[in-house]
Amino acid sequence: MAKIQFLQLPVPPPSYYAATGNVPLAAASLASCLESKEDPVKGIHPIVVSPEDTDSLGDKELVDKIAKEGPDFLGLSLYLWNTERSLYIAKEVKKRNPDTTILIGGPEVNEDNPYVLGEEGYDIAVSGEAEHSFRKLMRSVLSKSSLEGLENVAYRKKEGVLSSFGKAVAADFPLTDFPSPYTTGHLLVDPKRSTYLETVRGCKSQCTYCFYPKSSQNLRTLDIPETIKLISDLKEKGARELVFLDPTFNHRPGFENFLDAIAEVNSDGRMSMFAELRSEGVTPKLATKLRKAGFTRVELGLQSVNEETLKRVKRYGSPHKVAEVAKMLAGEGMELLLDLIIGLPGDKPDDVERGIHFFLEHGLGEWVQAFPLSVLPGTAMRRDAEKEGLSFMPTPPYRIIETPTFSPRDLTESLYFAEDLLERRLDEFPRPFLCDPELTRNDRIDVDLKESKITNSNRVIFSLEKGLSEWKGSRHHSVWFHSENLSLDLSQIQSLIGERITSEPFCTIDFVIELKSPPKPEEVTKLVTQLESKRNSYLSRTLAHRGENLQHRLVFVFDENRKDLKKWRDKNINSTSFLVYERINNQNIRKLNPSKEAFYLIEGNEVDSSDFEFLKNEMDPETITFAARVLEERWSMEVLGYGEL
């Protein structure tokens, strides 16, 4: 029997201990659709690579795992955040196992995405909502039939050229046609993670920046009895938070009765819930029903305060209605996410400012999330981008670069202005991993340039001549360089950094240099320039407008008793291209000055409870990190709120 593996890679988090949110619902749904009781696809055994592996394994280990298991087919779900790494994994697996047929699908796979279609390393591409066409495809592949003209499918011809997609056919199958992956066992409920589910596919809205209208404009719902049966099953399996992925949760027919049914099954309040709503139609009565059903978090999209812009992007709606409903839901005790998009066609910087002031005037500022527009594949906005005068990145995150009313500088300054008004950062901070080595972990390697030796996390020592290209790191790892003279060792450090990035280009890597003396400006410039030249992924580009790099971080560390290095740190405190951490003994925590702008690495395996509270209450939490893993994890979860739930 042939074997197919499904791989769905996670959103790369900003921190070692941050949640990935990785629930491979798409991958597991495809695996399950092959096993429908009425009409299973015979001759194929589907397997989903577990979230535990995709969350932790580095590039090399992930390729090793798949190649050793030797699937006949490998299916990859491509999303904004994982496309480049997925295609890289595909190429590497293909090198090792040329006979493995590699399939790609997901929102990134569209005729209007030349980036993905121009890549090599895969054999078959499937566009759109896949279950209805995927079964036909697999039957054709297994029987070695021609794929020519197959709906929603493009395939690699003998000469290596990708064919055109077959006729695009919108999904119209009932959601009951295929079993839930939670019932087939392809997706397990993990009480420590959110549990994702769909009860509706399709969207009545026509927002030009969103992919959903292309997917399907007809709502297909899992009826109330079927949904309640699924929710009850998830509850029995230990689900603690349900995340409804329905495009617009309150657009489903019979919504009020639906909430009543959920409230009944969740009458003990054991599960919390999250969904995205349109404010239109939400009444005080519905707000109360949402609370009784167990909804603790809700997302509402304002997108713009300019009603002409809302019409232009076919969002429509009223900002005042959004504010009214937001206050209504907050009054029921719910946390909110209120969206504002920077750079929509027709908007100007003044509209962003007015939008932030609008939320502040309504007392809703704490819940605002403002972010730059992404011109996504498969959207009407991408189709009309040239006509609208939109310039955007050709690769993920496809972020807007310029519009007729927003210069590149305007886009960045609008984000900073919003942060000034809201008095907080609106996107992720690249928090480095500076913890001590631990046996059985492959997340830290120490390079002693004086002794010409390398020590990995397992305390295995080998010669520096071996280099770093063969070492297999975890998805997020650190490389520490211990140098007595940076000037003498700089070229070797650069060579080793290059080896590590080339070896595992999509791992998050913190390159840490222990300073014995202040580095020369030209030395820092060389290191920064090297890392900047490797900005070739979604993660590295995400914060490029800030000058920060979420993929490859440069970190300097020095001891607290070095006054010369403190002076150097203070002169470079505003740098965005590298971080400087002062190593602090855990007995000296109370000597820290909360008004001092600096980053600190707290040494020691324990911290007094009163000192922990001092750090928590007096210091900027993003400036504190710990050498001890148990403390770093506690800080990340308890103080920074990086937990899964």
Side-chain angles (χ1 to χ4, degrees):
M1 180 176 286
K3 181 169 68 174
I4 182 169
Q5 277 192 331
F6 292 95
L7 179 66
Q8 183 172 328
L9 295 175
V11 179
S15 162
Y16 184 93
Y17 286 108
T20 65
N22 188 24
V23 179
L25 182 60
S29 294
L30 288 175
S32 296
C33 84
L34 298 175
E35 299 181 332
S36 61
K37 291 181 180 179
E38 291 76 16
D39 186 24
V41 177
K42 297 179 180 178
I44 188 80
H45 175 54
I47 300 170
V48 178
V49 180
S50 75
E52 287 74 23
D53 285 337
T54 56
D55 283 4
S56 63
L57 298 182
D59 298 341
K60 280 180 170 292
E61 283 195 316
L62 196 52
V63 171
D64 280 353
K65 176 181 174 60
I66 295 168
K68 286 177 182 176
E69 292 176 359
D72 301 280
F73 303 93
L74 175 64
L76 301 110
S77 298
L78 304 191
Y79 294 90
L80 185 73
W81 52 84
N82 71 15
T83 293
E84 289 155 310
R85 189 180 185 211
S86 297
L87 293 172
Y88 172 79
I89 297 296
K91 288 178 186 176
E92 294 300 305
V93 169
K94 197 74 170 174
K95 287 178 187 176
R96 298 267 292 273
N97 294 359
D99 292 335
T100 297
T101 299
I102 296 179
L103 307 93
I104 62 170
E108 302 297 296
V109 183
N110 271 283
E111 289 179 315
D112 65 353
N113 193 354
Y115 161 63
V116 168
L117 299 187
E119 287 290 297
E120 299 176 354
Y122 61 89
D123 302 292
I124 299 171
V126 184
S127 180
E129 193 178 328
E131 287 98 331
H132 66 305
S133 53
F134 186 66
R135 288 161 53 83
K136 295 179 186 177
L137 168 63
M138 291 312 300
R139 284 195 169 108
S140 296
V141 171
L142 289 168
S143 64
K144 302 188 184 309
S145 302
S146 171
L147 303 183
E148 186 175 355
L150 207 59
E151 297 170 355
N152 300 336
V153 169
Y155 61 94
R156 193 80 56 187
K157 297 180 180 180
K158 288 183 179 180
E159 60 271 24
V161 177
L162 193 69
S163 74
S164 300
F165 281 93
K167 181 182 178 182
V169 177
D172 59 0
F173 59 88
L175 298 191
T176 51
D177 275 7
F178 306 116
S180 164
Y182 291 106
T183 61
T184 61
H186 288 299
L187 189 57
L188 302 178
V189 172
D190 184 346
K192 296 179 181 179
R193 296 177 185 259
S194 302
T195 300
Y196 293 3
L197 70 159
E198 293 177 302
T199 72
V200 175
R201 289 194 188 176
C203 186
K204 294 191 295 184
S205 300
Q206 297 296 305
C207 308
T208 63
Y209 51 81
C210 184
F211 177 78
Y212 281 122
K214 178 182 170 102
S215 175
S216 177
Q217 295 173 21
N218 299 318
L219 296 188
R220 287 167 294 128
T221 64
L222 198 63
D223 63 29
I224 292 178
E226 282 289 333
T227 303
I228 296 306
K229 181 181 176 183
L230 175 60
I231 291 175
S232 298
D233 183 53
L234 296 176
K235 183 179 180 181
E236 288 179 11
K237 287 180 164 69
R240 292 175 53 207
E241 181 185 64
L242 301 184
V243 173
F244 289 87
L245 300 180
D246 306 359
T248 306
F249 190 58
N250 56 323
H251 274 184
R252 76 147 36 232
F255 183 59
E256 195 171 325
N257 292 334
F258 183 47
L259 291 179
D260 289 339
I262 296 175
E264 186 173 347
V265 76
N266 193 36
S267 59
D268 56 5
R270 276 171 48 193
M271 294 184 293
S272 61
M273 305 189 192
F274 169 82
E276 183 177 351
L277 305 177
R278 285 294 294 258
S279 57
E280 295 80 12
V282 178
T283 62
K285 182 180 179 183
L286 274 178
T288 300
K289 285 181 178 288
L290 282 162
R291 173 182 53 79
K292 289 181 176 179
F295 285 85
T296 56
R297 295 191 301 134
V298 169
E299 185 171 359
L300 293 173
L302 171 65
Q303 319 309 5
S304 173
V305 76
N306 185 332
E307 295 195 32
E308 290 304 311
T309 294
L310 294 177
K311 292 177 185 177
R312 186 167 175 173
V313 299
K314 297 186 178 180
R315 173 71 184 184
Y316 305 108
S318 161
H320 291 283
K321 180 63 177 175
V322 173
E324 175 192 333
V325 171
K327 287 186 277 190
M328 194 187 299
L329 296 171
E332 293 287 348
M334 293 178 220
E335 295 181 13
L336 304 175
L337 294 175
L338 303 174
D339 300 338
L340 197 68
I341 301 177
I342 299 172
L344 286 171
D347 259 1
K348 299 176 182 178
D350 286 350
D351 293 307
V352 177
E353 180 180 348
R354 288 195 303 118
I356 299 296
H357 279 298
F358 174 82
F359 279 127
L360 290 171
E361 288 163 5
H362 284 278
L364 300 168
E366 65 180 295
W367 290 303
V368 174
Q369 50 180 17
F371 47 87
L373 171 69
S374 286
V375 184
L376 301 174
T379 63
M381 185 168 289
R382 177 170 285 220
R383 180 195 66 206
D384 298 334
E386 187 174 351
K387 183 176 69 176
E388 292 278 14
L390 307 181
S391 173
F392 59 93
M393 296 178 182
T395 53
Y398 310 113
R399 185 159 290 163
I400 196 74
I401 296 172
E402 189 171 12
T403 80
T405 51
F406 270 98
S407 69
R409 183 174 179 178
D410 288 335
L411 290 165
T412 301
E413 289 187 348
S414 290
L415 176 65
Y416 289 152
F417 187 79
E419 291 183 336
D420 287 342
L421 288 176
L422 295 169
E423 299 182 333
R424 58 186 166 87
R425 181 168 170 141
L426 289 171
D427 53 24
E428 298 170 321
F429 175 77
R431 183 175 180 81
F433 174 63
L434 302 180
C435 291
D436 291 334
E438 183 175 295
L439 289 174
T440 74
R441 300 292 184 100
N442 59 341
D443 53 21
R444 172 165 167 167
I445 192 163
D446 288 81
V447 180
D448 187 332
L449 293 150
K450 182 181 179 182
E451 300 293 333
S452 295
K453 65 181 183 180
I454 298 172
T455 309
N456 65 19
S457 297
N458 292 319
R459 308 291 198 275
V460 176
I461 300 174
F462 48 93
S463 170
L464 191 57
E465 293 178 2
K466 187 174 181 180
L468 296 178
S469 60
E470 296 304 313
W471 185 62
K472 298 173 184 177
S474 60
R475 182 191 51 76
H476 185 170
H477 60 267
S478 62
V479 181
W480 286 66
F481 296 101
H482 307 279
S483 170
E484 294 296 321
N485 190 321
L486 182 59
S487 296
L488 292 177
D489 295 329
L490 182 62
S491 61
Q492 191 167 23
I493 289 173
Q494 286 189 275
S495 177
L496 292 167
I497 287 174
E499 283 183 16
R500 190 88 288 271
I501 292 176
T502 301
S503 180
E504 301 201 86
F506 295 97
C507 287
T508 299
I509 309 175
D510 295 305
F511 295 104
V512 187
I513 298 176
E514 285 200 301
L515 293 177
K516 300 298 182 181
S517 61
K520 298 172 183 176
E522 60 269 24
E523 293 168 348
V524 176
T525 299
K526 285 181 179 180
L527 291 165
V528 169
T529 301
Q530 180 182 17
L531 296 184
E532 283 298 301
S533 70
K534 302 296 183 181
R535 275 194 190 271
N536 57 359
S537 71
Y538 161 84
L539 199 60
S540 67
R541 299 186 202 101
T542 300
L543 297 180
H545 58 284
R546 289 187 180 273
E548 297 173 355
N549 193 330
L550 271 169
Q551 187 89 58
H552 303 126
R553 295 89 169 266
L554 177 60
V555 185
F556 295 104
V557 174
F558 70 91
D559 289 331
E560 60 185 315
N561 59 350
R562 293 294 302 273
K563 293 182 179 179
D564 56 339
L565 286 167
K566 287 182 182 181
K567 289 181 181 178
W568 175 82
R569 183 265 318 274
D570 293 345
K571 289 179 181 178
N572 291 276
I573 199 65
N574 292 321
S575 171
T576 57
S577 51
F578 61 88
L579 292 166
V580 185
Y581 276 80
E582 181 180 347
R583 186 187 276 114
I584 302 292
N585 186 284
N586 58 358
Q587 301 301 312
N588 297 331
I589 288 174
R590 289 303 180 106
K591 294 180 181 179
L592 295 178
N593 179 1
S595 63
K596 174 72 175 177
E597 190 176 353
F599 290 90
Y600 301 103
L601 170 60
I602 310 298
E603 294 279 280
N605 293 325
E606 296 181 355
V607 168
D608 182 82
S609 59
S610 63
D611 287 344
F612 192 90
E613 288 301 310
F614 168 79
L615 293 171
K616 179 179 176 180
N617 297 324
E618 301 297 330
M619 303 295 291
D620 177 349
E622 288 289 6
T623 66
I624 303 298
T625 190
F626 296 87
R629 292 169 185 252
V630 65
L631 293 172
E632 176 65 12
E633 183 174 13
R634 180 186 171 193
W635 188 264
S636 296
M637 302 301 173
E638 181 180 320
V639 181
L640 297 175
Y642 280 165
E644 194 77 44
L645 290 175

